[in-house]
Amino acid sequence: MSSFEKRAWLALWSQCPPYLVYFVIQGVWPNWLTTFLERIACLAVVASVHAIAYVTGLLVMKWQERGEPLLLDERDRAIDGHATRIAYFVMLTGMIVVGVVMPFSDTGWKITNTALFAIVLAETVRYALIATGYRRRPRLAH
């Protein structure tokens, strides 16, 4: 497995479970966290779990790859470019909804959580496309 593919899987497995828990809490029990500090604390816990899981996994990878240079080839760049372009449009769509549509009908934490969801979704799409890009047949053009 390519080092960049491993990093994409690590990003998916460290990001998706904590944020899934966060969005389930926000969707199923919206009144459970009522104060600003409770909401920020919940978000901080989720972000910390994500960060700790990713950094720990990255350190383990670095230890396993010690002495090996991390080199990008044209296939790596093509896979990353393709995934980044698609994720950009996912985030652009989400930010249009958050910044152009929602301010006319929603306020506060609903806008904040929708923006966070758009960012997490875009990153998930990007890393999923990178991980699956290594499993597909190589393409010559996008």
Side-chain angles (χ1 to χ4, degrees):
M1 185 181 301
S2 161
S3 181
F4 292 104
E5 182 183 1
K6 286 181 195 176
R7 283 169 170 71
W9 283 113
L10 172 62
L12 282 171
W13 284 108
S14 67
Q15 173 181 298
C16 291
Y19 284 104
L20 180 64
V21 169
Y22 177 78
F23 291 121
V24 165
I25 289 170
Q26 296 299 319
V28 176
W29 301 290
N31 296 326
W32 187 50
L33 303 171
T34 56
T35 68
F36 177 78
L37 285 177
E38 288 174 346
R39 290 176 185 264
I40 289 295
C42 181
L43 184 55
V45 167
V46 168
S48 296
V49 168
H50 173 211
I52 290 167
Y54 185 79
V55 169
T56 302
L58 191 61
L59 290 173
V60 168
M61 272 191 209
K62 288 287 202 179
W63 184 77
Q64 291 173 344
E65 297 169 349
R66 63 188 177 278
E68 293 179 27
L70 187 61
L71 301 173
L72 281 171
D73 63 9
E74 290 305 313
R75 182 172 181 226
D76 295 323
R77 288 186 183 97
I79 289 170
D80 183 59
H82 176 73
T84 301
R85 271 191 297 283
I86 292 174
Y88 168 78
F89 287 108
V90 170
M91 184 157 40
L92 183 65
T93 302
M95 291 300 114
I96 288 172
V97 169
V98 168
V100 177
V101 177
M102 288 183 75
F104 294 107
S105 61
D106 299 302
T107 60
W109 280 99
K110 189 165 184 180
I111 291 176
T112 302
N113 285 329
T114 305
L116 180 62
F117 179 75
I119 293 167
V120 170
L121 180 63
E123 284 296 298
T124 300
V125 166
R126 180 173 180 261
Y127 290 123
L129 288 173
I130 289 172
T132 59
Y134 285 98
R135 302 294 175 172
R136 290 186 303 217
R137 177 174 62 88
R139 296 170 49 184
L140 298 176
H142 302 264

